[in-house]
Amino acid sequence: MAASAVYDALVLDLPASQAGQSLRLLRAHPAYRYTYIYCARDQDGWCDALGDGAPPKDSQALACAVQGWKDRYATLSPESLENSYETRVLAWLWLGGARRILALQDASKADFYAYPLLDTLAEGKTFDALSTLQLLGQGGWLGRAALVDRVRFCARCGSRRLSQVRCLQCDSRHEQNELRVQEIYSYQLTEAGYMRCSQGLHMELAFSANFDVQGLIGEEAFRYSLDWLLDMHRRYGEPVFSLVGLRFVNLQQVLEASGEQQGRVLVDSLIERLVDIIREPDRCARSGEDMLWLLLPNTNKQGLAKVVQRLAGLMDPFKESMPGLEMRLKGIAAPLDLRIDEDAGLLMTRVGSGLR
């Protein structure tokens, strides 16, 4: 089938074991590497790792899903899709919307787990899955989605062949807390990874581990900076700083009304205007498709009010092209608005709750 015709989407009406085998073959073929492939019957681990779940309930829902896939695919060039192994991984995740990189138990692997997607996209070449995940994670493109397992190894020889706390490989004994532990996770695109894909995958992965293509820093780096300022303030009573949360209300509905591709171009333009107005020491991060954060060192309550006023004016040029899109702002200034023992996560949660 893959050799004679190319379809917009596939539905596999097969038992789980056969569907899993078909998925391995189809994902290895360039024509169906990124396409929606659904499994109509029961599903096993291979179906979960390489497929897109059960098919949509009706033809209209299927057509809508396929059109969204086509809109995303249109932003990518063939060169960018085949630029590297890593870009193929990112493209597969992004084109599928809610896809994740899942781990399956595999006794042939040293850590007893494999990532079928990574093996399939390798095109017969040898890549170390954990190194690939680490590279993409350090670049800010991938984040951990869920903990799958904690794998324990012999501290002496590295074997996983353990019986209670006695290693069957080297015949050594260990206390439970002496064993080496490796945590196995599933992975998903971060907001920075999503933004990189939406802008075409043209840049090299190594251009920056901290900043994405719009001048935003990763959410983890943003929280670290905020925690550092909070810690300094608790210790020394300074520096003064402000935190601003910015949320786009009804963003998804606006994107659907204006067309996903055109809508995202407008949102990206709006974010670029926001980044342009902040100062060099300021930091800006995106924690969700509709949520942005600004960290403003050396900005007191009066300075915060001026910044919020400037930010509110950003929407003016976009009111005609994106009707219905509302931007909500909430800011706090240290030390007046801080609470005792509040870390970055709790503070951002408090500010974000005021934007709902």
Side-chain angles (χ1 to χ4, degrees):
M1 177 179 64
S4 59
V6 177
Y7 298 92
D8 291 335
L10 297 176
V11 177
L12 303 180
D13 188 15
L14 298 169
S17 60
Q18 296 180 31
Q21 179 63 29
S22 297
L23 275 164
R24 277 177 273 184
L25 296 173
L26 288 165
R27 291 301 185 202
H29 195 289
Y32 294 101
R33 178 171 293 152
Y34 307 108
T35 306
Y36 277 131
I37 305 178
Y38 302 102
C39 296
R41 302 192 197 178
D42 56 317
Q43 301 179 42
D44 62 9
W46 284 91
C47 296
D48 294 333
L50 297 177
D52 294 291
K57 295 180 180 180
D58 53 50
S59 59
Q60 183 176 358
L62 176 60
C64 183
V66 169
Q67 187 57 52
W69 185 96
K70 288 182 175 180
D71 289 343
R72 292 189 290 275
Y73 188 85
T75 67
L76 304 175
S77 67
E79 294 77 15
S80 66
L81 283 173
E82 302 305 322
N83 185 41
S84 69
Y85 175 52
E86 289 79 11
T87 57
R88 291 198 295 273
V89 173
L90 295 178
W92 188 87
L93 289 168
W94 182 64
L95 288 169
R99 287 171 176 167
R100 292 184 174 185
I101 301 175
L102 302 182
L104 295 183
Q105 288 190 349
D106 185 342
S108 68
K109 302 292 185 180
D111 56 8
F112 278 55
Y113 277 91
Y115 289 90
L117 174 72
L118 301 184
D119 294 338
T120 301
L121 296 183
E123 297 183 328
K125 299 178 182 178
T126 302
F127 291 95
D128 182 76
L130 292 180
S131 296
T132 300
L133 293 171
Q134 185 178 27
L135 171 66
L136 293 172
Q138 289 174 345
W141 317 124
L142 286 187
R144 293 170 175 175
L147 177 65
V148 177
D149 196 4
R150 289 185 174 93
V151 182
R152 290 170 170 81
F153 297 88
C154 173
R156 180 180 177 184
C157 70
S159 172
R160 193 178 182 270
R161 297 180 63 240
L162 305 174
S163 177
Q164 301 299 324
V165 290
R166 176 179 179 275
C167 180
L168 303 179
Q169 185 74 24
C170 65
D171 199 31
S172 60
R173 295 177 180 271
H174 302 280
E175 294 297 328
Q176 188 75 16
N177 60 4
E178 293 177 335
L179 298 174
R180 291 195 293 112
V181 178
Q182 179 175 315
E183 295 181 329
I184 306 297
Y185 288 88
S186 57
Y187 292 84
Q188 63 188 2
L189 275 182
T190 61
E191 191 62 32
Y194 179 89
M195 294 302 299
R196 180 173 185 265
C197 292
S198 68
Q199 297 191 3
L201 286 170
H202 296 302
M203 294 69 61
E204 290 297 324
L205 279 171
F207 75 89
S208 172
N210 295 317
F211 292 86
D212 74 4
V213 293
Q214 291 182 310
L216 308 178
I217 67 172
E219 184 181 359
E220 185 176 348
F222 185 89
R223 287 174 181 261
Y224 178 86
S225 298
L226 178 54
D227 269 328
W228 183 84
L229 286 172
L230 288 168
D231 187 52
M232 290 299 100
H233 200 277
R234 278 191 291 267
R235 292 186 183 188
Y236 309 113
E238 58 182 24
V240 172
F241 67 90
S242 292
L243 173 70
V244 178
L246 183 156
R247 179 172 174 252
F248 297 114
V249 183
N250 299 326
L251 177 60
Q252 191 56 46
Q253 293 90 325
V254 172
L255 291 178
E256 292 174 356
S258 59
E260 184 171 343
Q261 186 174 349
Q262 179 62 25
R264 294 197 186 282
V265 170
L266 293 172
V267 171
D268 291 346
S269 299
L270 177 57
I271 294 172
E272 287 171 4
R273 283 173 56 87
L274 183 151
V275 173
D276 286 342
I277 71 171
I278 65 176
R279 305 163 303 176
E280 183 65 27
D282 299 337
R283 292 290 179 261
C284 183
R286 195 170 184 178
S287 62
E289 190 173 20
D290 61 349
M291 191 74 196
L292 289 165
W293 297 94
L294 290 175
L295 185 57
L296 312 171
N298 300 312
T299 303
N300 58 19
K301 196 78 170 178
Q302 292 73 31
L304 172 62
K306 294 179 181 179
V307 171
V308 169
Q309 185 177 13
R310 292 182 66 191
L311 292 174
L314 285 175
M315 283 297 300
D316 293 343
F318 297 89
K319 288 181 178 178
E320 183 176 343
S321 55
M322 302 185 75
L325 183 63
E326 176 188 351
M327 185 172 67
R328 293 180 184 171
L329 294 162
K330 182 176 176 61
I332 64 97
L336 297 177
D337 300 323
L338 296 184
R339 296 178 181 174
I340 298 175
D341 296 331
E342 198 169 41
D343 63 8
L346 291 173
L347 180 55
M348 291 172 70
T349 298
R350 176 159 65 93
V351 174
S353 66
L355 298 171
R356 300 299 172 185

